Amino acid sequence: MPTGDPLSIDDALTADHVKLDGQFKTLSELIARRSPEGSPALEALAYDLGFHMQWEEEVLFPTLLQTISRYSEHSIESLLIDHERIRSSLAELRTALAQGDFPACAKALDDLHDFLVGHNGEEENGAYSDADRKLPPEERERLVRLWNARTTR
């Protein structure tokens, strides 16, 4: 649940998870209907999700490791492994959709969904809440400012 704190990393990035979840739902519905709009919806989700993960990898995760003494490298490593699994699932889905292999699309969507649900929970209850609780206010402000200044489509 959003805190309403303008310096909340958790609020900012969880709101993006909600947006991405909506894109995933739309994509799933389009693929289930075998709509030609499935491919553009997949590319939009892959772009936005890729941007989100890249920002975490280049900005948030290094900040947590550098700023919080004894922050768990294992936790970050686990999240990075998840990112690779998510990218792999997106690639499998892209291939299956391009081939019109809808049973493979369904499996790739299920895999992607499972990875996203587990991963998002780990971030929201781990890295994001840790950032809110353990980073100094000026560092949280810097991160939120960087997140809000990002440019997407």
Side-chain angles (χ1 to χ4, degrees), residues 3-4 19 28 44 59 68 118 120 126:
T3 65
K19 180 192 85 155
S28 297
V59 180
I68 301 172
N120 290 353

Side-chain angles (χ1 to χ4, degrees), residues 16-133:
D16 200 49
H17 282 174
V18 170
K19 180 192 85 155
L20 292 165
D21 289 346
Q23 287 178 273
F24 180 86
K25 181 180 179 194
T26 298
L27 172 64
S28 297
E29 292 167 353
L30 290 168
I31 289 175
R33 293 194 322 260
R34 299 181 181 200
S35 168
E37 293 302 310
S39 187
L42 172 58
E43 293 312 314
L45 175 63
Y47 180 87
D48 291 346
L49 189 52
F51 193 91
H52 179 103
M53 292 186 297
Q54 182 179 356
W55 190 89
E56 291 172 338
E57 293 165 1
E58 293 177 0
V59 180
L60 179 63
F61 298 162
T63 299
L64 291 171
L65 290 170
Q66 294 167 5
T67 309
I68 301 172
S69 86
R70 296 188 317 257
Y71 194 78
S72 172
E73 288 184 30
H74 176 73
S75 295
I76 298 298
E77 189 175 303
S78 176
L79 294 173
L80 292 171
I81 290 168
D82 287 351
H83 283 183
E84 288 310 310
R85 288 179 178 150
I86 291 165
R87 287 181 177 103
S88 178
S89 291
L90 286 166
E92 289 171 16
L93 181 56
R94 187 177 283 118
T95 298
L97 190 57
Q99 294 172 348
D101 185 347
F102 290 98
C105 285
K107 181 180 179 336
L109 279 169
D110 285 344
D111 290 347
L112 181 58
H113 179 263
D114 291 346
F115 288 137
L116 289 173
V117 168
H119 177 77
N120 290 353
E122 287 179 31
E123 285 183 334
E124 292 166 13
N125 296 310
Y128 299 174
S129 61
D130 288 346
D132 282 352
R133 287 184 294 110

